[in-house]
Amino acid sequence: MRSCDNRRLSLPHPITPRLSSLRFRSLRLLQLIAEHGSVRKAADVLCVTQPAASAMLLEVEQVLGLELFVRSRRGMTPTPALMSLLQRLTVIENEVKALSEDASAFFSRARRIYRLGVLPRSMLNVMPQVLAKVVEQHRELEFSLTEATSDVLLRGLADNHFDCVIGRPTRDAAHAMDGRHSFQFQTLYEEGMCVVAGKRHPLASRKRLTLRDTLDWGWTLPPLGSVTRNLLVDEFLHAGISPPVPIIESANFFSNLSLVEQGTLLTVSPMSAARKYASLQGVSILDLKLGTPLPPISLIWRRESALEGPLAVLREELLRSCAT
């Protein structure tokens, strides 16, 4: 068995010029070996012989000058060097996919599809009117919308699943800004959070509530790590109180509001969503002030990808709408 020391192989020539000799299929082989733990299984997926796959792997290791797998009787185990490389391969693969889609759209004279990641709450206020104006002025454009929490959206942005995101900068995003996954931010608007209960909840009619008043009630909350869950945890910790353990976890705040409406659960919600839901359904915003500040709702994009053309138009329309 070889030791997992990421030892370097001999390099007769500088690495940069030799990278151009690598084929994307060879890089795909690395992903398949890491996934299946076997050159033979990876070769079967690529429809090549095992000797050919072994030769492709040897070529990549020689060009990079790195040992990418630890060989043992139990199979092929990725080295730390390969795990780092696979992160970049994911971005490259998504770039190739986007290039293919752009080429297909140009060939068929189809409209370019711009991939937007948005917070669900943004679809309640700013995004519908912004997209309506942009599409009306530029009828050749087409957008694909994905709604998710900020942490999910920013992971997708880092992996090039989105062209830009409308969400909140998160702690994980700040930690990931290491030059590989760095983002640019354009602040759009501030939005606070609130605690919501059903209209018939005993706390709904009480004034000047404190966090301690909520301790006897169950909660339905977003998952751990989400911006809103972090907010609530910080609120309780700053008050010297253990944060509530939710009875139900759901990333969809509409689901949480519906659950609150039906019983005695509490939840934390964006103020815009709570106000809109309260006007239509049986929920009340509790008289409980949350003091922990939240990151602003922002337009976020990868630092190496400039917002040009239609995406620049989208940014200007977002800024104009959020300023009013």
Side-chain angles (χ1 to χ4, degrees):
M1 180 189 303
R2 298 185 186 180
S3 62
C4 183
D5 59 0
N6 292 335
R7 56 190 173 186
R8 295 183 174 275
L9 307 178
S10 60
L11 278 177
H13 302 291
I15 185 173
T16 303
R18 304 187 71 204
L19 283 175
S20 60
S21 67
L22 291 181
R23 294 169 295 174
F24 186 77
R25 199 179 193 196
S26 298
L27 300 179
R28 173 63 177 151
L29 175 69
L30 302 181
Q31 294 175 311
L32 292 173
I33 297 175
E35 178 181 347
H36 296 285
S38 164
V39 174
R40 179 182 58 79
K41 293 179 180 178
D44 290 343
V45 175
L46 276 185
C47 298
V48 298
T49 64
Q50 182 172 341
S54 298
M56 291 164 64
L57 173 59
L58 179 60
E59 178 190 17
V60 176
E61 288 187 320
Q62 287 180 337
V63 168
L64 296 178
L66 293 170
E67 184 179 41
L68 301 178
F69 292 95
V70 176
R71 284 79 165 173
S72 71
R73 294 180 180 179
R74 290 175 294 180
M76 308 277 284
T77 303
T79 64
L82 177 63
M83 297 307 296
S84 177
L85 178 62
L86 288 179
Q87 291 182 344
R88 295 190 179 277
L89 287 180
T90 299
V91 176
I92 293 172
E93 192 173 34
N94 289 328
E95 288 283 4
V96 171
K97 181 180 178 182
L99 177 63
S100 176
E101 291 173 352
D102 287 350
S104 297
F106 180 80
F107 181 77
S108 62
R109 298 186 180 275
R111 291 181 292 183
R112 160 82 187 270
I113 298 177
Y114 292 90
R115 306 161 300 164
L116 306 182
V118 299
L119 285 174
R121 72 202 65 164
S122 299
M123 296 305 298
L124 290 175
N125 44 35
V126 64
M127 286 304 296
Q129 62 189 35
V130 166
L131 287 176
K133 290 182 180 179
V134 171
V135 171
E136 181 180 354
Q137 297 172 14
H138 303 272
R139 296 187 178 276
E140 74 283 2
L141 301 181
E142 189 172 324
F143 294 95
S144 171
L145 298 180
T146 299
E147 298 181 44
T149 58
S150 291
D151 51 334
V152 172
L153 293 177
L154 291 177
R155 284 198 298 269
L157 181 63
D159 289 338
N160 194 34
H161 290 303
F162 305 121
D163 295 304
C164 61
V165 158
I166 292 85
R168 293 187 194 272
T170 65
R171 297 172 183 174
D172 289 342
H175 294 158
M177 291 179 64
D178 57 1
R180 183 177 60 202
H181 290 167
S182 57
F183 304 125
Q184 295 195 73
F185 305 89
Q186 176 84 62
T187 297
L188 299 176
Y189 63 93
E190 303 278 350
E191 182 179 34
M193 309 297 288
C194 59
V195 177
V196 180
K199 281 191 178 297
R200 295 184 296 276
H201 195 287
L203 296 182
S205 59
R206 291 181 54 180
K207 301 298 182 183
R208 298 179 182 178
L209 294 170
T210 67
L211 291 176
R212 292 191 182 277
D213 295 321
T214 69
L215 295 180
D216 294 331
W217 305 99
W219 290 77
T220 174
L221 292 173
L224 282 171
S226 64
V227 176
T228 49
R229 181 71 172 273
N230 288 341
L231 164 74
L232 196 69
V233 168
D234 289 345
E235 287 283 339
F236 276 85
L237 292 178
H238 289 165
I241 306 172
S242 296
V245 177
I247 297 173
I248 300 174
E249 279 194 0
S250 171
N252 189 311
F253 64 84
F254 279 126
S255 298
N256 288 332
L257 289 170
S258 295
L259 289 166
V260 161
E261 179 189 1
Q262 298 302 318
T264 59
L265 294 176
L266 304 175
T267 193
V268 62
S269 168
M271 185 63 75
S272 61
R275 285 173 176 165
K276 189 160 188 174
Y277 207 88
S279 68
L280 301 173
Q281 306 290 338
V283 300
S284 295
I285 299 172
L286 297 187
D287 187 16
L288 174 59
K289 184 177 180 180
L290 300 179
T292 304
L294 276 173
I297 303 296
S298 303
L299 177 64
I300 310 170
W301 65 99
R302 295 187 307 280
R303 186 169 298 277
E304 71 274 12
S305 303
L307 287 186
E308 299 175 336
L311 293 179
V313 174
L314 176 69
R315 176 172 61 179
E316 293 305 314
E317 193 58 50
L318 278 168
L319 293 174
R320 185 163 33 252
S321 295
C322 293
T324 58

